[in-house]
Amino acid sequence: MKKYNILIPLVLGVAFMSCSNKKNLEKNVLSIETGHLKQLYKASEDIKLSLKTTEKAQVDSVVYYFNDKKVGASIKNEVLNLNLAEQKLGKTTIKAVAYSDNSSKDFTTEIEITAPNAPKFYSYKIVNTFPHDQEAYTQGLEFYNGILYESTGNGEGGGSTTGRGTGKKGVSSVRQVDYKTGKVIKIHNQAMEIFGEGCTILNNKLYQLTYQNNEAYVFNPETLDLEKTLPYFKKMEGWGLANDGKHLYMTEGTEFIYKLDPETFKEVDRVSVYTDKNVIPYANELEWVDGMLYANFYGQNAVAVINPKNGAIEAVIDFSELVNLTTYHADRDVMNGIAYNPQTKTFFLTGKNWDKMFEVQIIK
């Protein structure tokens, strides 16, 4: 008993000290210091982080997190100077965890990080013009082993929900195409309840997204036989798809581009698409070329070059001239479909129900 009696004051002393330190943090550490923070930062800028405290505050250290990822720490609330170059773009929750002995307290605030630089403007040169099936409501294009693969949706009235166009409903498909003639080599038509979206080929598997069916389909690219159905990792729309040789990249019509595990279709990572001014939604069809993502944006006859590491739009190419080079008809819709041919080192572009496909050289 004496042994335990000797320990009681020690235990009580530690408990009192921890309780005292906790109260010290609660009363005297007030918040993250926001007086010198901005709401909007470019990814090239520095940010200074510290806690707002009273003179009585006792802080041993502070650990900082961006969206729950540790980015740095400081001793005794010294100012942490952090360069944002390695951070992802978008709305960011800053969390500071203050420590004093065995006690801690969390504080949060928010900032928004944009691209470090304004996008460059690239030009292009039309190399060839080829015929394209104007009944094809193009959602995805990709070259694989010298063959052009195309994914189509069953757009109605040019894809409009207001009845624009003829109102004729198409059939979703994946197909092999002779790009020089526009003729379909082989085709797999989907059921009418399936609205096909973007496609890509990875590890000799052809992936096709669906618009609102919340699942993707995996085909044999040679036979176009359906091999597997993969549910999306959450309730979402499917828009565009590409791959970097290891992972898939998927858009859903928002500012997000998701990096996915091709075997499970589970999310590995994500980025938000930004210029140096603001967030850019509606990223659609994707193509991976030399470490960059090239993206159509729904409703825009243009392509953006996106850094997949942080989501920054590094360049823009205006292709608005191309739609005027196609034949007008009631169901002709916006530009969509971008494929890079590694054999010719040129890009192939078309649109929903366009009667032409354009081979272009992008000039930086």
Side-chain angles (χ1 to χ4, degrees):
M1 288 297 294
K2 290 184 179 180
K3 181 178 182 181
Y4 292 112
N5 287 336
I6 292 172
L7 290 176
I8 286 173
L10 178 61
V11 172
L12 290 176
V14 172
F16 176 79
M17 181 174 65
S18 297
C19 183
S20 174
N21 288 335
K22 185 176 182 180
K23 289 180 179 179
N24 176 274
L25 289 175
E26 290 177 349
K27 289 182 178 180
N28 300 314
V29 182
L30 306 177
S31 64
I32 294 177
E33 177 59 68
T34 58
H36 53 266
L37 292 184
K38 301 184 297 182
Q39 290 186 330
L40 207 65
Y41 283 85
K42 293 184 180 180
S44 56
E45 294 184 89
D46 289 348
I47 187 172
K48 296 183 184 298
L49 299 173
S50 62
L51 295 178
K52 185 177 182 180
T53 65
T54 69
E55 292 182 357
K56 297 180 180 180
Q58 299 174 7
V59 178
D60 295 334
S61 63
V62 187
V63 180
Y64 293 95
Y65 300 83
F66 279 17
N67 293 334
D68 293 324
K69 180 181 178 181
K70 184 179 176 180
V71 294
S74 65
I75 303 298
K76 296 187 180 297
N77 196 29
E78 293 178 354
V79 175
L80 175 67
N81 190 58
L82 180 69
N83 185 268
L84 298 175
E86 299 300 319
Q87 305 306 318
K88 291 182 182 178
L89 310 184
K91 294 180 180 178
T92 302
T93 298
I94 301 174
K95 181 173 74 173
V97 183
Y99 292 93
S100 181
D101 289 331
N102 295 323
S103 297
S104 65
K105 187 177 180 182
D106 297 1
F107 305 89
T108 61
T109 190
E110 289 189 349
I111 62 170
E112 190 170 6
I113 305 174
T114 67
N117 303 301
K120 298 177 181 178
F121 288 92
Y122 294 165
S123 59
Y124 68 94
K125 178 176 68 175
I126 298 176
V127 178
N128 284 301
T129 301
F130 299 109
H132 178 255
D133 179 10
Q134 75 172 34
E135 299 296 317
Y137 191 73
T138 306
Q139 302 285 44
L141 287 179
E142 184 153 312
F143 277 93
Y144 182 70
N145 292 337
I147 297 175
L148 181 64
Y149 286 79
E150 184 171 7
S151 173
T152 70
N154 57 357
E156 182 175 1
S160 170
T161 57
T162 60
R164 180 170 60 86
T166 63
K168 179 182 177 182
K169 195 168 185 177
V171 177
S172 297
S173 69
V174 285
R175 53 179 73 179
Q176 298 174 354
V177 179
D178 181 344
Y179 72 87
K180 293 183 178 179
T181 65
K183 299 296 182 182
V184 175
I185 301 171
K186 192 175 294 184
I187 190 169
H188 177 108
N189 287 324
Q190 299 280 33
M192 290 303 295
E193 64 268 18
I194 295 172
F195 196 117
E197 285 283 345
C199 70
T200 194
I201 300 175
L202 174 63
N203 298 327
N204 201 37
K205 296 181 185 298
L206 169 60
Y207 294 81
Q208 183 191 35
L209 297 178
T210 59
Y211 178 39
Q212 293 181 325
N213 296 79
N214 219 61
E215 58 189 13
Y217 305 120
V218 182
F219 298 89
N220 181 312
E222 297 179 4
T223 64
L224 300 186
D225 291 334
L226 179 63
E227 294 183 344
K228 188 188 298 185
T229 298
L230 294 171
Y232 293 167
F233 64 91
K234 68 171 185 174
K235 183 69 176 176
M236 63 194 298
E237 293 181 355
W239 283 40
L241 197 62
N243 77 84
D244 63 2
K246 183 178 180 181
H247 292 99
L248 301 173
Y249 292 81
M250 175 184 178
T251 62
E252 61 168 351
T254 66
E255 73 271 25
F256 296 117
I257 298 179
Y258 298 96
K259 185 177 182 180
L260 306 178
D261 182 319
E263 294 299 321
T264 64
F265 232 68
K266 299 298 183 183
E267 179 183 1
V268 174
D269 200 2
R270 72 173 73 176
V271 294
S272 300
V273 180
Y274 271 79
T275 65
D276 61 319
K277 302 295 184 183
N278 53 286
V279 65
I280 307 295
Y282 306 124
N284 198 4
E285 223 274 272
L286 297 174
E287 185 78 357
W288 180 279
V289 184
D290 295 334
M292 291 290 178
L293 283 167
Y294 287 67
N296 286 143
F297 284 80
Y298 183 72
Q300 303 293 323
N301 296 315
V303 168
V305 184
I306 302 171
N307 186 328
K309 294 180 180 179
N310 62 3
I313 294 181
E314 299 198 351
V316 175
I317 311 104
D318 181 4
F319 287 109
S320 56
E321 170 197 16
L322 296 185
V323 67
N324 297 321
L325 299 179
T326 65
T327 303
Y328 172 80
H329 61 96
D331 285 339
R332 184 184 68 177
D333 208 327
V334 296
M335 175 182 170
N336 197 46
I338 175 170
Y340 179 74
N341 189 342
Q343 295 179 353
T344 60
K345 299 187 184 304
T346 53
F347 289 82
F348 287 71
L349 305 167
T350 190
K352 301 173 186 288
N353 301 120
W354 285 16
D355 69 336
K356 293 182 178 65
M357 179 178 293
F358 301 94
E359 180 184 5
V360 305
Q361 179 183 0
I362 293 177
I363 302 169
K364 299 182 178 180

